[in-house]
Amino acid sequence: MDINTICPGCLEKTGVGDICPRCGFDRNSHRDSKYLPYGYLLSGRYLLGKVLEENGDGITYLAFDTADSTKIRVREFYPAGLCSRNADSAVTVISGEEFRFRDALENFKTLWKKLAHLRGIGAIVPVFDIIEDNNTVYAVCEYYDDITLRDYLMDNGGFLTWEQAKPLLMPVLSCIKSLHVSGIIHYGISPYTILMGSDGKLRLWGFSIKEVRLFNNTYQNEIYEGYAPIEAYNPSFECSERSDVYSFGAVLYRTLVGITPIDSKIRYTNDQLVVPAAIAEKMQPCVINALVNSLQVLPEDRTVSVDRMRDELLATPSVIESANEKREVPSKNSKPQKKEKVAVTVISRSEDRANAKMKIERLVFVCILLVIVIVFSLLSFTGVITFNKKGSSDGNNPSEAVQAQEAYVTVPNFIGQDKDSQDYRSMYPELNIVFEQAVISYTPENKIVAQSIAANTRVAPGTQIVLSYYGPSGTVVIPDLAGLTREEALLTLGSLGLNNVKTAEKTNDSGYTQNTVASQTPEKGEVVNKDKEIVLYVWGESKNSSAGGTSQRTQNATSIIDSVFSGIGSLFGR
């Protein structure tokens, strides 16, 4: 075989020309001196082509196995900043870095040897060979025609349903379990290190030594924001199997919700993680529960293992039994901790509608104000109204326009302030300030986290502005569940950490939709502890057959309303 006829870009036999007629690769393109040259024959067998990727501990090459005539991946240990490459392609350690280089080299070798023993696991990219050459180590791995999970999601609408994601991701979770049994923690699980092959299967890739995945000044770190646990940033937290649990939970969140989770270093001080109602309504309660537990910021609050996470995702009997047990609630007199266990927020449909209505009202107000400004400007331009240097006009009422402008009030920024630190109503008498507790309580208590009208908005005196704040630790505001199905209500309550829920059937003599919530105790808006018993009164089977059509028409009308509000939410960037 004439290796000079193989293109380094696609590894196809395309002749000896400089430009590949198949992929357009230019053999004369610049090649960084730290890379092995095009056409380098490793161990007399593996022909190296273009670089696929690199990070703090190495370089991955596209390669060709001349013995089997197949494409492969070759991973070379080459820690940036600790070594260089000489003219003979060998790796030379930078003076003074010998100890760290040798230590990292041994860690790299151990990692890839363990991975080679796991070759039979379907959701890991197989490792065929470990080669020691050029004063470093190489791992020879199988090559797939693949894309990252992130690109796959972007090509398929941005997210998947649980029914679509389950057969893809559950084998990856089993693979992570096998890694942990073998003493391997990945530390970098993300949509960028999970590959979708042309065979429709996901495989885990992106293995690196631990030091590359942790924030430090020794190595060129590769940390995937949104998917890295707090342990990756803060050395006071111990890395463990729970680190991979968090990362996989973040991947699951990205897959099902369609957005990258807020990074753990931000959530550590300001924990707000949201699952929109439109997405949450389609999730099973067990999936919400698994997300909540796996994405806890503090390791001690997090799901203990991938086995436990699998059980929660599949709602095994042991998980259902433990979920029905009452949770321990801190005493009101106990001192608040730095962080408390936080649940994923599910925005209720009533909140969505209220937000959409509020956006419409803002838009109407802005439009009216814009018309006034345009008319006023035209009058000024045509000479009907003119101002002297002091701002007065030549009309009969010189200060009328200025007075109209001064009648409006600029809304301040309340977010981040303490609810009880000052008398807001006295400070801003021109605003009708109303306080309400946020649906889920976090620490620190009484911190204002949202306001119904954005800061710097100009509003008329007396305009009501609602300030949402975090309430006492361990408390929750009961949402409005009326009209939801029993399953939707249980999902919503479970996402808020309310698992002590009972249901009671209510006689249905008026044709109400069966299995929907008629009422609840406690009622909506009440603030309760998370162990509070919640009773849902659910409509039973309709006893009025003639009302069946009315019930169906009501359902159709509700569907239309939901569609309208969904469209409005999309229009205004919901």
Side-chain angles (χ1 to χ4, degrees):
M1 177 188 297
D2 185 0
I3 60 176
N4 294 319
T5 64
I6 298 177
C7 168
C10 62
L11 297 183
E12 298 291 339
K13 297 177 182 179
T14 56
V16 295
D18 292 336
I19 307 298
C20 174
R22 183 178 183 276
C23 70
F25 183 83
D26 184 357
R27 292 176 182 267
N28 296 318
S29 59
H30 174 69
R31 181 79 156 181
D32 195 298
S33 60
K34 67 181 176 181
Y35 303 141
L36 288 167
Y38 296 129
Y40 183 88
L41 197 61
L42 178 65
S43 193
R45 175 175 178 176
Y46 305 113
L47 182 71
L48 302 190
K50 67 180 181 180
V51 171
L52 295 175
E53 60 189 1
E54 63 177 308
N55 68 357
D57 75 352
I59 303 166
T60 304
Y61 301 89
L62 178 64
F64 186 78
D65 185 346
T66 58
D68 294 338
S69 297
T70 56
K71 294 180 183 180
I72 54 172
R73 285 184 174 93
V74 172
R75 179 74 174 170
E76 178 187 32
F77 177 68
Y78 190 96
L82 301 184
C83 62
S84 61
R85 197 181 303 278
N86 62 28
D88 296 329
S89 298
V91 171
T92 303
V93 183
I94 296 174
S95 178
E97 300 292 351
E98 291 83 2
F99 175 78
R100 282 192 288 186
F101 180 88
R102 286 196 301 269
D103 185 59
L105 176 65
E106 289 303 315
N107 291 339
F108 183 92
K109 188 192 306 184
T110 300
L111 168 65
W112 288 95
K113 282 185 176 180
K114 286 182 178 180
L115 290 172
H117 289 300
L118 298 176
R119 188 186 311 168
I121 298 176
I124 299 180
V125 174
V127 180
F128 297 137
D129 198 2
I130 305 294
I131 299 170
E132 296 187 46
D133 196 4
N134 294 330
N135 298 328
T136 189
V137 176
Y138 299 85
V140 179
C141 312
E142 188 165 338
Y143 175 82
Y144 295 92
D145 184 15
D146 50 41
I147 60 175
T148 65
L149 174 59
R150 185 263 182 193
D151 290 339
Y152 175 77
L153 292 173
M154 295 301 292
D155 292 341
N156 289 271
F159 65 95
L160 304 176
T161 65
W162 171 239
E163 288 71 24
Q164 294 169 322
K166 181 179 177 181
L168 295 174
L169 287 174
M170 292 306 286
V172 177
L173 192 60
S174 297
C175 153
I176 298 170
K177 166 64 177 177
S178 299
L179 291 177
H180 292 175
V181 170
S182 300
I184 300 172
I185 301 176
H186 192 286
Y187 295 114
I189 298 170
S190 76
Y192 302 93
T193 55
I194 298 176
L195 306 179
M196 169 60 77
S198 57
D199 57 358
K201 296 180 180 179
L202 292 178
R203 293 177 177 86
L204 193 57
W205 177 246
F207 294 95
S208 287
I209 59 175
K210 176 181 178 180
E211 292 81 1
V212 171
R213 301 297 187 195
L214 305 180
F215 184 78
N216 60 74
N217 297 320
T218 302
Y219 297 88
Q220 178 183 321
N221 306 129
E222 185 178 48
I223 298 176
Y224 296 99
E225 290 193 3
Y227 304 95
I230 192 63
E231 304 92 280
Y233 301 104
N234 192 331
S236 63
F237 294 106
E238 182 180 358
C239 294
S240 67
E241 295 178 6
R242 300 188 188 197
S243 304
D244 282 350
V245 168
Y246 183 94
S247 297
F248 185 83
V251 169
L252 181 60
Y253 179 96
R254 168 63 183 87
T255 302
L256 300 180
V257 179
I259 57 175
T260 300
I262 299 172
D263 194 62
S264 61
K265 64 178 179 293
I266 298 175
R267 294 183 59 212
Y268 181 61
T269 56
N270 184 21
D271 199 345
Q272 298 184 60
L273 193 60
V274 175
V275 178
I279 301 295
E281 289 173 352
K282 299 176 183 178
M283 289 188 196
Q284 298 178 15
C286 58
V287 177
I288 287 283
N289 182 58
L291 279 176
V292 168
N293 294 330
S294 65
L295 287 174
Q296 295 302 318
V297 177
L298 297 183
E300 60 265 30
D301 291 338
R302 204 178 300 153
T303 306
V304 297
S305 66
V306 293
D307 276 341
R308 177 65 182 183
M309 188 176 186
R310 167 181 280 276
D311 288 344
E312 290 179 350
L313 285 170
L314 301 179
T316 61
S318 61
V319 170
I320 295 174
E321 181 179 353
S322 62
N324 290 331
E325 297 176 356
K326 291 186 177 180
R327 298 185 177 182
E328 181 180 352
V329 178
S331 169
K332 293 183 178 180
N333 297 324
S334 62
K335 184 178 179 180
Q337 300 297 314
K338 179 177 180 59
K339 291 281 294 175
E340 78 167 337
K341 192 170 183 179
V342 179
V344 174
T345 306
V346 178
I347 304 174
S348 68
R349 290 184 295 182
S350 60
E351 289 176 322
D352 288 341
R353 294 173 180 174
N355 290 336
K357 180 181 179 182
M358 183 177 65
K359 290 179 179 179
I360 294 173
E361 290 173 347
R362 290 181 191 171
L363 180 63
V364 171
F365 174 77
V366 171
C367 290
I368 293 173
L369 184 59
L370 183 60
V371 170
I372 293 173
V373 172
I374 292 173
V375 171
F376 181 76
S377 299
L378 289 174
L379 291 174
S380 299
F381 180 78
T382 57
V384 176
I385 299 177
T386 58
F387 288 94
N388 57 28
K389 292 183 179 179
K390 294 183 179 179
S392 62
S393 70
D394 294 335
N396 295 327
N397 192 357
S399 60
E400 181 179 356
V402 175
Q403 290 173 350
Q405 287 293 323
E406 292 177 348
Y408 290 97
V409 179
T410 301
V411 175
N413 183 15
F414 295 99
I415 295 177
Q417 300 184 44
D418 191 283
K419 167 181 172 287
D420 297 329
S421 63
Q422 50 197 342
D423 188 348
Y424 293 96
R425 294 185 178 91
S426 297
M427 290 181 62
Y428 305 99
E430 63 276 14
L431 294 175
N432 180 15
I433 295 178
V434 176
F435 288 97
E436 68 173 19
Q437 183 174 324
V439 173
I440 296 183
S441 302
Y442 304 88
T443 54
E445 296 177 10
N446 294 325
K447 191 70 68 178
I448 297 174
V449 293
Q451 55 190 72
S452 59
I453 301 177
N456 300 319
T457 302
R458 300 276 289 175
V459 299
T463 300
Q464 183 182 88
I465 177 169
V466 180
L467 304 181
S468 300
Y469 65 95
Y470 291 155
S473 176
T475 64
V476 174
V477 179
I478 298 296
D480 183 9
L481 304 172
L484 298 182
T485 66
R486 177 181 177 277
E487 291 73 20
E488 289 174 334
L490 291 174
L491 171 67
T492 301
L493 294 172
S495 68
L496 298 176
L498 296 167
N499 293 316
N500 187 11
V501 183
K502 296 182 179 180
T503 58
E505 186 172 301
K506 189 169 184 177
T507 303
N508 190 356
D509 294 326
S510 304
Y512 291 103
T513 304
Q514 185 179 355
N515 200 41
T516 58
V517 177
S519 59
Q520 64 200 58
T521 56
E523 297 182 354
K524 66 176 181 178
E526 290 192 34
V527 179
V528 301
N529 289 326
K530 290 187 178 181
D531 65 342
K532 177 71 174 180
E533 180 181 278
I534 312 297
V535 181
L536 301 178
Y537 297 94
V538 181
W539 292 115
E541 183 178 358
S542 174
K543 297 183 179 180
N544 186 353
S545 58
S546 63
T550 302
S551 176
Q552 184 61 48
R553 286 195 296 272
T554 302
Q555 284 184 299
N556 292 339
T558 302
S559 298
I560 293 172
I561 292 172
D562 284 341
S563 299
V564 170
F565 276 99
S566 176
I568 292 173
S570 300
L571 179 63
F572 293 101
R574 171 183 152 190

